[in-house]
Amino acid sequence: MPETIDALVRAQAGLFGPKPMVIDPVDRIGYTELESSTAELAAGLLAAGMTKGSRVGLIMPNGVAWVRLAIAVMRVGAVLVPLSTLLRPGELTGQLRMASVQFLIAVDEFRGHRYPVDRDQLPALRVIWKADEALAFNGTRGATDALAARVRESDPMVVMFTSGSSGPPKGTVHSHRNALCAVRSGLEARCVDAGTRLYLPMPFFWVGGFGAGILSALLAGATLVTEPSPGPASTLDLLQRERVTLFRGWPEQAEALARHAGTADLSALQPGSLEALLPAHLHARPGARASLLGMTESFGPYCGYRADTDMPHSAWGSCGQPFDGMDLRIVDSETGGPLPRGETGEIQIRGPHVMRGICRRSREQVFTADGYYPTGDLGYLDADGFLFHRGRSDDMFKVRGATVYPGEVQRALRSLPGVRAAYVVNVPDDRANQVGAVVVGDGLSVESLRAATRAAISSFKVPTLWRLLGDDEAIPRGATGKVDNTALRTMLRKGVRP
């Protein structure tokens, strides 16, 4: 079977029929209806001017409607450009220009955000459709079938935006084959199969929602349960009503739900779900389960281990092993030369699952001469091929001449009782760098955190600047959802010193 969205949707409709594919709080759609309705919707979009290769932007909250539009666009070879509902007008204009979006489908407003577009700055933009208007398009499926038959595995399927805590966004271009194969390679590690009823609140405009959510469910024949605005009451209702078996949201969200659960019946949840919602006897020992490692450029995780299974003891604290099809090497950050097992350097990846390129950058600007993508992540491989992540190369910093990896300090903090989340950055002053930590949790004190951290890591890595928060929502984030390190440093300068 060709690795295209159209071929996949047709095949899964034949296998799973009326079984629900996506459920949101007010709507649901089965595999058969998804196939027929997106064929007719695609035909209507084609009649309105869209065609194979068109760049189509989409700004909508999670739900059945988002999935229908996205599938319709991709089936006929148009290129989907999911756009964040958090974007400010200037950011939206920049991403529309970067991806050369020609057709834009958008809601008027979501959670206080509106999406005005300055068309004078966007020469490629031809049409703006309101979401309800686009969803009403309809046609006979003959046009869809004819164009879908011309879509090839190597054709671009989606442009996913990603960015770090600073710098301009990157539009990563993924083909049908590389995206679908990347998602398929991680299904076992994420414990997703045809019997799964997967709750995933992550926005569909992130690869964590689009790949780990929509495409994972579609490839496995599973049922995806989602919602546009997660909250304890609505989420608990969905988990119970839909008998969700796998919860793969944010750890902080799971912790909050556990505090509100009361008498809620979450007995359908299975191992592999975030542990805060599982009974204590199903919890793993700290470090025993892999922390899947991935990025938008690899279309999600490229390294992991079954989420319901302990790794070998020597691999505890690792990210598991590279998935089949992923070629991974560790190189010296300065020279680019390969490093032996056990030595920390930059992680580089290569293989058919990696993105095809980045918008407005040449291949030479993105990949090494022998085809590896430098991820900017630091880590090492042990003798058995397990990958240990040590943070970002651009986050690594020196304290009195010694190297500090923020990821290592964060892991030490997150292992402490009462800590739900921890974020570590350097905070430079006139003399040198200081280690700063913003910690989210209950009943915490700087004194206890500092003492416990000092017992776990070298003294020069122990934070000297602290900010304690009771709610993860206070963590500053950019439009892509990533933590804003510059804003963290500002918070820490006003924080607590020992």
Side-chain angles (χ1 to χ4, degrees), residues 416-417 443-454 466 468:
L416 301 179
L444 304 176
S445 71
V446 170
E447 291 74 17
S448 62
L449 289 172
R450 188 169 59 248
T453 310
R454 190 178 295 275
W466 299 83
L468 307 185

Side-chain angles (χ1 to χ4, degrees), residues 4-11 35 74-76 144-145 148-149 176:
T4 67
I5 289 293
D6 179 71
L8 177 62
V9 169
R10 292 172 188 266
E35 195 284 325
M74 294 184 293
R75 286 188 71 172
V76 292
T144 296
D145 294 342
H176 288 255

Side-chain angles (χ1 to χ4, degrees), residues 284-298:
R285 289 165 290 179
R289 304 286 168 84
S291 299
L292 274 66
L293 182 63
M295 60 199 320
T296 306
E297 292 89 335
S298 62

Side-chain angles (χ1 to χ4, degrees), residues 21-22 29 34 38 63-72 204 214 224:
M21 190 265 156
V22 185
I29 191 168
L34 180 71
T38 57
V64 170
W66 201 105
V67 176
R68 288 187 64 235
L69 281 165
I71 296 295
F204 292 161
I214 297 171
L224 175 65

Side-chain angles (χ1 to χ4, degrees), residues 74-352:
M74 294 184 293
R75 286 188 71 172
V76 292
V79 182
L80 180 69
V81 185
L83 296 160
S84 171
T85 56
L86 305 173
L87 289 174
R88 301 296 182 184
E91 295 170 321
L92 174 59
T93 297
Q95 293 192 13
L96 291 171
R97 185 189 302 114
M98 178 72 70
S100 300
V101 168
Q102 298 158 289
F103 299 85
L104 176 62
I105 302 171
V107 293
D108 287 330
E109 182 271 342
F110 178 63
R111 300 186 73 171
H113 289 266
R114 302 189 69 84
Y115 310 103
V117 174
D118 185 352
R119 300 184 67 165
D120 291 338
Q121 299 186 50
L122 299 166
L125 186 61
R126 292 174 50 190
V127 179
I128 300 175
W129 291 313
K130 293 185 177 182
D132 289 344
E133 178 186 3
L135 285 163
F137 287 144
N138 193 44
T140 56
R141 64 173 301 149
T144 296
D145 294 342
L147 197 52
R150 294 170 47 199
V151 178
R152 300 292 176 259
E153 296 178 340
S154 57
D155 287 338
M157 183 189 87
V158 64
V159 175
M160 300 293 299
F161 276 97
T162 182
S163 70
S165 56
S166 62
K170 293 181 293 185
T172 63
V173 182
H174 297 270
S175 70
H176 288 255
R177 184 175 187 272
N178 99 252
L180 292 176
C181 288
V183 174
R184 184 181 287 110
S185 71
L187 288 178
E188 181 182 3
R190 293 196 297 272
C191 303
V192 180
D193 58 30
T196 301
R197 295 176 72 83
L198 168 68
Y199 173 83
L200 195 136
M202 294 175 179
F204 292 161
F205 54 76
W206 290 340
V207 74
F210 184 46
I214 297 171
L215 296 187
S216 288
L218 189 57
L219 280 162
T223 296
L224 175 65
V225 180
T226 191
E227 55 186 329
S229 301
S234 64
T235 301
L236 287 168
D237 178 64
L238 271 177
L239 296 179
Q240 294 179 96
R241 188 179 76 217
E242 302 301 337
R243 301 296 292 168
V244 166
T245 63
L246 191 64
F247 183 102
R248 301 292 293 170
W250 294 283
E252 298 84 3
Q253 182 195 21
E255 296 276 2
L257 287 174
R259 293 193 297 271
H260 287 85
T263 59
D265 179 9
L266 303 181
S267 59
L269 288 176
Q270 298 174 358
S273 299
L274 290 176
E275 291 186 345
L277 294 174
L278 295 175
H281 72 276
L282 294 179
H283 289 197
R285 289 165 290 179
R289 304 286 168 84
S291 299
L292 274 66
L293 182 63
M295 60 199 320
T296 306
E297 292 89 335
S298 62
F299 212 77
Y302 60 82
C303 186
Y305 203 82
R306 276 196 66 93
D308 60 356
T309 304
D310 288 359
M311 296 182 290
H313 195 274
S314 63
W316 284 19
S318 79
C319 302
Q321 296 170 308
F323 295 150
D324 289 345
M326 183 59 69
D327 182 10
L328 184 151
R329 70 183 181 187
I330 307 296
V331 304
D332 185 282
S333 299
E334 295 183 0
T335 69
L339 293 174
R341 295 288 175 101
E343 288 196 25
T344 296
E346 183 181 40
I347 302 168
Q348 296 187 347
I349 56 176
R350 181 178 70 178

